Amino acid sequence: MLRVALDLDGSLEPFRETMVDLAAALAEEGSCELVRFRSWSPPVGVDVRLPMRWWWRRWWRAGRGWPLDRRLRADVVHVAGRTVPPTGATPLVVSVEDLRPLRGERSSSPRVDLLRRAVARGATVVTSTIVARAEVARILGVELDRVAVVAPPVPAPATVAAGAAPSTLLVNVAGGLDRYLGVAEGLQAVARARGLGVVVLTSAAGAQRLQVAGAPVVTRHRRDAAVALRSARVLVHLADGARFPSLPLAALAGGIPVVTFAAPVTRELLAGAATLVESPEALVAASAAALDDPAVRAIARAAGPVRAADFHPARAAAAYAELYARVVRDWTT
């Protein structure tokens, strides 16, 4: 049985602590022996405490310093956060959870240089979608076989309480704030006409910008997304494609209709289960249809859970276990 060291610091999507979910899924799957650790935050829920972590993490953020495998004694090490600590004789898997630091003029950023050094030392980079794999390989200037694709686990959300009616039009804004401002008035009119509230999930900076713009909506941080889904009648997903869309998949798992713009990532993961549109006007109209049209809601209830099942934690755990075995088998420094 492979001994896998998993850094709990790192989230593939801000909806949940994905590395914690992955650790739980791997433990349930039972094909790996886990060694949980934290490279950055206080060592909560870990199996191994790293000595002098507070000192070494500034070096690990540059891919240098004390090799992790001197302490962890694992067959493979998997990290997904802001640090990419070096290893000596142990294979390293690095999840790229956010493409924004790699894009545009940042192609020579410290993050890109850090990932290039890790790959040069033999690390395997992991992305969550086929679209992201091609983008990361191009930015890093490496062959596609150095970048793997494994989707993170997407746990099913808690459903609305028995007897309670969904009361909100939920909007998830992940790097798509300008797009939201372009459709905000239309979405508010749609919700108001049906007696629903509009709740916008965004970052602290996004909430502040909406407050400055005078947008009459309730904002909540994305860490509250699982709770917000319980009262959602429809989810409108507005994102830049930099992260894995865990929240729309969690909504589909609960049979909640999802409306979003058509893009390479949404076509890859959500087509056939969510409503994909091409324009702001179509987004507003599709949101109204998802609230009113029984056929649209029936499709979400039928196709949503089927699509979300592809990303069930058990499937994610099995896929990662297979990746770890392959990385160990093919490891060369």
Side-chain angles (χ1 to χ4, degrees):
M1 182 181 292
L2 284 181
R3 186 174 169 87
V4 179
L6 204 66
D7 185 4
L8 299 184
D9 284 332
S11 177
L12 304 182
E13 211 277 338
F15 168 48
R16 291 179 63 103
E17 291 296 328
T18 313
M19 293 298 279
V20 175
D21 288 340
L22 177 58
L26 286 168
E28 180 71 20
E29 201 251 354
S31 64
C32 301
E33 180 184 351
L34 290 182
V35 181
R36 304 169 185 85
F37 69 97
R38 290 186 181 272
S39 63
W40 191 266
S41 64
V44 177
V46 301
D47 302 305
V48 173
R49 294 177 176 235
L50 300 178
M52 299 289 288
R53 174 182 49 84
W54 58 271
W55 167 263
W56 286 114
R57 65 186 181 185
R58 62 177 177 175
W59 296 99
W60 290 339
R61 198 165 185 178
R64 297 184 169 89
W66 181 64
L68 277 183
D69 49 350
R70 291 185 181 177
R71 174 72 176 181
L72 296 173
R73 301 185 184 280
D75 298 306
V76 60
V77 177
H78 181 187
V79 299
R82 67 186 76 181
T83 64
V84 183
T87 59
T90 303
L92 179 66
V93 173
V94 183
S95 288
V96 176
E97 76 287 357
D98 189 353
L99 300 183
R100 277 170 288 189
L102 312 183
R103 287 177 167 173
E105 296 178 357
R106 299 176 181 178
S107 59
S108 59
S109 70
R111 181 67 177 175
V112 173
D113 294 339
L114 172 61
L115 292 173
R116 284 174 176 159
R117 283 198 300 271
V119 172
R121 291 196 297 261
T124 297
V125 173
V126 183
T127 61
S128 54
T129 67
I130 296 172
V131 172
R133 179 195 190 200
E135 183 174 350
V136 169
R138 176 182 56 79
I139 291 172
L140 298 184
V142 300
E143 298 295 329
L144 277 176
D145 61 3
R146 301 304 303 275
V147 185
V149 180
V150 184
V154 182
T159 56
V160 66
S167 59
T168 63
L169 190 160
L170 184 62
V171 184
N172 180 45
V173 178
L177 191 57
D178 289 333
R179 278 188 159 183
Y180 170 70
L181 292 173
V183 298
E185 186 175 345
L187 292 177
Q188 290 160 16
V190 165
R192 188 165 52 246
R194 291 154 181 82
L196 302 175
V198 176
V199 174
V200 177
L201 296 170
T202 185
S203 63
Q208 184 176 16
R209 185 176 169 191
L210 288 176
Q211 185 178 15
V212 170
V217 295
V218 175
T219 60
R220 298 184 69 171
H221 197 278
R222 284 193 294 270
R223 71 170 66 95
D224 299 325
V227 175
L229 273 181
R230 298 177 190 175
S231 62
R233 184 168 173 82
V234 167
L235 172 66
V236 177
H237 178 63
L238 303 175
D240 57 8
R243 287 180 176 268
F244 185 79
S246 291
L247 182 58
L249 288 166
L252 290 174
I256 300 171
V258 174
V259 180
T260 186
F261 284 111
V265 170
T266 54
R267 289 192 181 97
E268 177 185 338
L269 300 178
L270 306 179
T275 300
L276 308 185
V277 300
E278 300 286 350
S279 67
E281 297 77 14
L283 183 89
V284 174
S287 300
L291 289 168
D292 300 334
D293 191 336
V296 175
R297 299 190 65 80
I299 290 173
R301 287 193 299 270
V306 173
R307 177 55 53 83
D310 292 337
F311 307 95
H312 188 276
R315 291 195 175 187
Y320 265 108
E322 182 179 345
L323 172 68
Y324 297 146
R326 177 169 61 83
V327 167
V328 172
R329 183 186 65 240
D330 299 340
W331 166 250
T332 57
T333 57

